[in-house]
Amino acid sequence: MNAYGPILVLGAIALAFALVSVVLASVVGPRRYNRAKLEAYECGIETLPPSAGLVQRFPVKYYLTAMLFIIFDIEIVFLYPWAVASDSLGWFGLLAVALFIVNVSVAYAYEWRRGGLRWD
């Protein structure tokens, strides 16, 4: 249990900081609500009221940007620890990371084909 003590203390400090920040912001922060602040906000697109009965579609570009972030984020999250421990993993680690790169490349190729890497 002594090995997990610092991790538990750090988790408790992070949780306390998050809770104190949220409570303090709601107590001290300004309360000037208006109609614009209470409306739903989605990707900078003006939404129609639900009573209009129209379904508004979002451009695919927003989802492609999110997908690109997830692709590179997951790649870094898994490749950094592999790079640190690559000596001790041997051939099995090399094969595992090669399969991972192939999987990430499929998502990257899809993103590239859909035009997610073009600056418009």
Side-chain angles (χ1 to χ4, degrees):
M1 188 65 181
N2 287 339
Y4 295 110
I7 295 172
L8 293 175
V9 169
L10 183 64
I13 290 172
L15 182 66
F17 178 76
L19 292 175
V20 167
S21 297
V22 169
V23 169
L24 193 63
S26 65
V27 170
V28 178
R31 291 184 182 88
R32 290 183 291 251
Y33 299 112
N34 59 25
R35 186 173 159 225
K37 286 186 180 180
L38 296 176
E39 285 185 9
Y41 178 76
E42 186 81 28
C43 303
I45 298 172
E46 293 289 331
T47 58
L48 298 174
S51 60
L54 300 173
V55 177
Q56 189 175 9
R57 301 180 80 185
F58 295 108
V60 176
K61 188 172 186 175
Y62 296 114
Y63 300 110
L64 289 176
T65 304
M67 187 176 166
L68 190 65
F69 170 75
I70 290 171
I71 290 169
F72 287 119
D73 187 46
I74 289 175
E75 187 175 9
I76 293 300
V77 164
F78 285 116
L79 284 181
Y80 185 74
W82 173 80
V84 170
S86 63
D87 290 340
S88 63
L89 295 176
W91 286 104
F92 175 75
L94 185 63
L95 179 64
V97 83
L99 290 174
F100 174 72
I101 293 291
V102 167
N103 285 336
V104 169
S105 297
V106 169
Y108 179 70
Y110 174 79
E111 182 84 22
W112 190 354
R113 186 168 181 248
R114 295 289 297 189
L117 300 176
R118 274 188 254 128
W119 291 91
D120 294 336

